[in-house]
Amino acid sequence: MTASFDPPAGDWTRVSTQLRSLHRTVALAVCAVVAAPATVVLVIIGTAPWLSALPVVVALGVAAWAWSWASRNWAGWGYAENAEDLLVTSGVMWRRLVAVPYGRTQYVDVKAGPLQRAFGIATVTLHTASSETAAHIPGLPATEATRLRNRLTELGESRDAGL
Amino acid sequence: MTPGSEPIAVEPVGHRTHPASAVVSAWLWLLGGAAAMLHRIGTDSTVRENLVVAGVVLGGALLLGVGFGLVRWMYTRYVIDGSELRIDSGVVVKQSRRVPYERLQSVDIAQPLGARVLGLAELRIEMAGGGQSRTTLAFLTRSDAERLREVLLDKSQSDAAPVLDGAPLQESADAAGNGRALVATVPITRLVGSLVLSTEFLLTAAIAVLTVAATVVLTVVVGGPPFAYAPLFLALVSAMYRLVVNRVVSQWGFSLARAPQGVRIERGLTSRSSQTIPRGRVQGIAIEQPLLWRSHDWRRLVVDVAGYGATGRGDDDSDRPAASTLLPVADKVAAGAVLAELMPAADPDAVSLHRAPSPSRWFAPVGWRYLAAGADDHVFVTCKGWLTRRTDIVPHAKTQSVALRQGPLERILGLATVVVHSPDGPVKAQGRHLAEADARVLAADQLQRARSARVTR
């Protein structure tokens, strides 16, 4: 981690580890769904045993990689509420830090798909007049997501800078 | 004479647009009718038959067009009150568009060819925010459209002190007439010359010529199929056509004048448009200088106004690149004057820039020498490009957000990219591949500068 992507003050608030669990669950499910039928087909058509085992080996490899990726990706996310700006950091290979002054808020979205809801997390997105801002924070616990949305909306109104 | 030309005053029922609007929209129906006729080409019908069919189809299209236009006109009304402009329309599905004055970004007058013949004009109102940010009011007489624009711009500028209804209208119209010092015009020869010398046009043309040459070689020497490159050639020709439309036809007779609220631009050959860009609504300006323009010291100015840059929807998206053009081609003095008019405190040449260090040549082998970013008390400036040199300027007061980015290769080389986000449009203030420490400091300082700019505004 380079110092360039540290917050100006304090530490990053990390997102919920449920995000990591979600990514891992999805990865394992995809691996299983792809590998299992492939193995069954190979066994039925009666190829060599090592060939029948190949999908399982590959799936295990992919799953292991996804397992550690989920952990790194989770650690890449972070946000900080400063006095005047919301800071969001993301990414491991492609690092990004975006700072949005509260007064620039146009609107705040909270989104939670069925899977995210099952893990009790939601994504908060802060929109400004620029679509490049893309300040979204996935993996917030549902209560924290609501709190953050309310706070951002409130701060956005009290510091509204117009356009 | 017509309902639209009465003095504009507050009235609950609202005004109607000009009745001849019905006729203007009939143009499209006529075109549709003509297109429907196309399939008769090549059939062995006599001239007389063709004429009869043409008369029936075109006449029917015209009648239908006028009929629909008339019904739509009857159901369209607009109301101006103390806080908003409201446009009610729709026969089956009722629609009521509200334009609160404080959200209004710019008001343009457009005269498509069909409307221009009848002396009518359309009002295009850009609002901030995504989705349907453009509202059109079609059609009014040209003078009504101009007067309504003055009213709207006046009201949008005086957010704090609402203008009394009725009284100031005459004044504002006068002010518009008197305060029109001409800042810049673009002679047509220079417009055409600038297109021919521009990097984009030359490159496209060169590839097109190469395509033709390759085709000739293929057919004559090798004896291959004659139309192998036809799709590519057509794509190139259409790209060139778009360039000609955007850079010459829509900028024909370009003039930029000082208006009470900012600057006013008049342009266009077939369809004239008259844009007003209010000073406070300029989100950023970019200066472009293609390689071959440098001997003449020409440059082009493009502008970010919220709403202009929105993509996807709208009746004529093709007009958007042209609408974002602040000055199609001008020398240093004229460009400087326009810049000073819209960003009085900005002096991009005086800003001290952080240059990209030599490791950035891994990303841009030639262009890295021109990559730079910096800021002074008023604006954030980035530079890039060697074939087309480009300077992007975003005032601190308009900074939406600031981002710092770093890819894996940048991390190895100790580089980072800093981006100042402005509303969607042609201006992209990206300080790419700067030294990591510089980028970090620029980003952090930018937040501070943007904050104080918002406070003092």
Side-chain angles (χ1 to χ4, degrees):
Chain A
M1 298 262 163
T2 48
S4 299
F5 288 87
D6 287 345
D11 280 322
W12 292 117
T13 312
R14 292 292 160 194
V15 298
S16 163
T17 50
Q18 290 287 355
L19 180 69
R20 192 172 57 191
S21 312
L22 170 70
H23 284 151
R24 284 177 176 171
T25 310
V26 171
L28 289 185
V30 169
C31 286
V33 163
V34 173
T39 315
V40 169
V41 168
L42 287 177
V43 167
I44 289 174
I45 62 174
T47 53
W50 66 269
L51 196 57
S52 310
L54 195 64
V56 177
V57 174
V58 171
L60 281 177
V62 170
W65 179 82
W67 193 269
S68 72
W69 171 86
S71 159
R72 276 176 287 136
N73 175 275
W74 167 79
W77 287 104
Y79 64 98
E81 294 164 78
N82 271 10
E84 298 291 336
D85 321 282
L86 173 77
L87 294 113
V88 183
T89 188
S90 63
V92 183
M93 290 297 271
W94 277 270
R95 304 224 49 173
R96 185 172 189 266
L97 187 160
V98 64
V100 190
Y102 296 127
R104 289 302 186 195
T105 310
Q106 295 282 325
Y107 59 100
V108 186
D109 262 351
V110 179
K111 268 188 199 153
L115 267 175
Q116 284 189 306
R117 275 206 304 278
F119 282 86
I121 54 176
T123 301
V124 171
T125 311
L126 175 57
H127 295 269
T128 68
S130 169
S131 64
E132 291 167 282
T133 298
H136 64 275
I137 317 171
L140 288 173
T143 49
E144 168 69 1
T146 315
R147 184 201 67 81
L148 193 62
R149 184 199 51 201
N150 292 343
R151 183 171 151 76
L152 289 177
T153 313
E154 199 177 290
L155 284 168
E157 274 164 12
S158 65
R159 279 156 220 239
D160 185 16
L163 258 180
Chain B
M1 180 181 89
T2 56
S5 58
E6 289 160 11
I8 293 161
V10 177
E11 174 191 325
V13 191
H15 302 278
R16 280 205 165 132
T17 54
H18 196 280
S21 306
V23 183
V24 179
S25 27
W27 273 112
L28 291 177
W29 285 83
L30 264 185
L31 280 180
M37 296 285 299
L38 280 180
H39 80 275
R40 292 189 65 83
I41 294 174
T43 58
D44 50 353
S45 45
T46 63
V47 173
R48 197 186 151 79
E49 274 172 20
N50 275 341
L51 278 180
V52 170
V53 174
V56 171
V57 169
L58 294 185
L62 189 66
L63 270 180
L64 267 175
V66 172
F68 275 111
L70 210 59
V71 173
R72 198 167 55 203
W73 169 76
M74 281 172 65
Y75 282 88
T76 303
R77 283 164 190 276
Y78 63 96
V79 182
I80 305 161
D81 68 15
S83 63
E84 62 183 16
L85 164 74
R86 197 177 78 230
I87 300 172
D88 296 323
S89 61
V91 184
V92 181
V93 180
K94 294 277 178 197
Q95 194 193 1
S96 180
R97 249 347 242 287
R98 281 151 200 274
V99 185
Y101 298 134
E102 71 274 8
R103 286 196 57 210
L104 193 145
Q105 296 296 314
S106 69
V107 186
D108 300 341
I109 293 174
Q111 288 188 287
L113 190 57
R116 202 171 154 201
V117 171
L118 296 167
L120 298 181
E122 175 184 283
L123 216 56
R124 291 180 182 166
I125 301 155
E126 302 282 359
M127 281 191 291
Q132 289 270 318
S133 62
R134 176 187 274 186
T135 307
T136 56
L137 185 60
F139 288 91
L140 309 170
T141 62
R142 169 90 200 188
S143 59
D144 274 347
E146 278 175 5
R147 204 165 42 197
L148 188 53
R149 170 166 74 178
E150 288 306 323
V151 175
L152 292 174
L153 286 174
D154 250 23
K155 294 200 177 200
S156 75
Q157 296 284 306
S158 55
D159 303 303
V163 183
L164 286 173
D165 296 309
L169 299 188
Q170 203 51 50
E171 281 171 29
S172 62
D174 284 351
N178 298 336
R180 278 207 181 184
L182 206 61
V183 180
T185 56
V186 178
I188 200 65
T189 46
R190 184 185 288 193
L191 202 57
V192 174
S194 71
L195 174 73
V196 171
L197 291 180
S198 73
T199 315
E200 307 91 297
F201 189 81
L202 283 179
L203 271 180
T204 328
I207 300 173
V209 169
L210 276 180
T211 325
V212 173
T215 312
V216 169
V217 170
L218 261 183
T219 32
V220 175
V221 182
V222 191
F227 296 112
Y229 291 108
L232 177 60
F233 183 72
L234 286 180
L236 289 167
V237 168
S238 87
M240 278 161 72
Y241 168 77
R242 273 202 305 280
L243 275 175
V244 170
V245 167
N246 279 330
R247 300 274 170 83
V248 178
V249 177
S250 61
Q251 309 291 352
W252 196 276
F254 183 96
S255 79
L256 185 146
R258 192 177 283 132
Q261 302 87 359
V263 297
R264 174 159 308 162
I265 292 170
E266 313 258 345
R267 57 178 179 83
L269 175 65
T270 50
S271 50
R272 288 292 285 178
S273 52
S274 160
Q275 292 168 258
T276 300
I277 301 181
R279 205 169 285 115
R281 305 299 200 209
V282 173
Q283 306 284 341
I285 292 179
I287 305 167
E288 280 181 346
Q289 206 174 26
L291 188 67
L292 292 176
W293 287 21
R294 276 172 229 164
S295 55
H296 301 270
D297 207 19
W298 285 344
R299 65 247 354 253
R300 171 170 50 240
L301 259 53
V302 293
V303 64
D304 254 15
V305 172
Y308 279 173
T311 46
R313 313 145 306 272
D315 43 350
D316 50 356
D317 280 323
S318 58
D319 191 45
R320 291 196 185 272
S324 298
T325 306
L326 182 58
L327 204 51
V329 52
D331 56 24
K332 195 173 166 58
V333 180
V338 172
L339 197 61
E341 190 65 35
L342 288 176
M343 286 185 187
D347 185 4
D349 294 332
V351 175
S352 67
L353 297 171
H354 296 269
R355 304 214 155 268
S358 54
S360 59
R361 65 160 59 95
W362 288 94
F363 290 96
V366 182
W368 72 274
R369 290 167 197 280
Y370 301 100
L371 293 176
D376 67 359
D377 292 343
H378 304 285
V379 289
F380 179 82
V381 177
T382 64
C383 299
K384 67 159 194 177
W386 58 285
L387 277 180
T388 296
R389 207 174 290 166
R390 195 183 153 110
T391 308
D392 291 84
I393 310 163
V394 175
H396 296 326
K398 301 294 183 187
T399 301
Q400 292 293 327
S401 52
V402 182
L404 190 64
R405 289 192 324 226
Q406 190 180 49
L409 185 54
E410 280 184 314
R411 183 151 52 247
I412 293 167
L413 298 170
L415 305 174
T417 295
V418 59
V419 187
V420 170
H421 300 134
S422 54
D424 301 356
V427 179
K428 302 261 177 268
Q430 303 188 327
R432 290 153 85 182
H433 317 312
L434 303 175
E436 195 171 334
D438 285 353
R440 166 83 184 186
V441 168
L442 263 179
D445 288 358
Q446 186 59 27
L447 282 175
Q448 193 58 50
R449 282 187 288 256
R451 187 173 307 147
S452 34
R454 281 198 304 276
V455 172
T456 53
R457 194 156 63 119

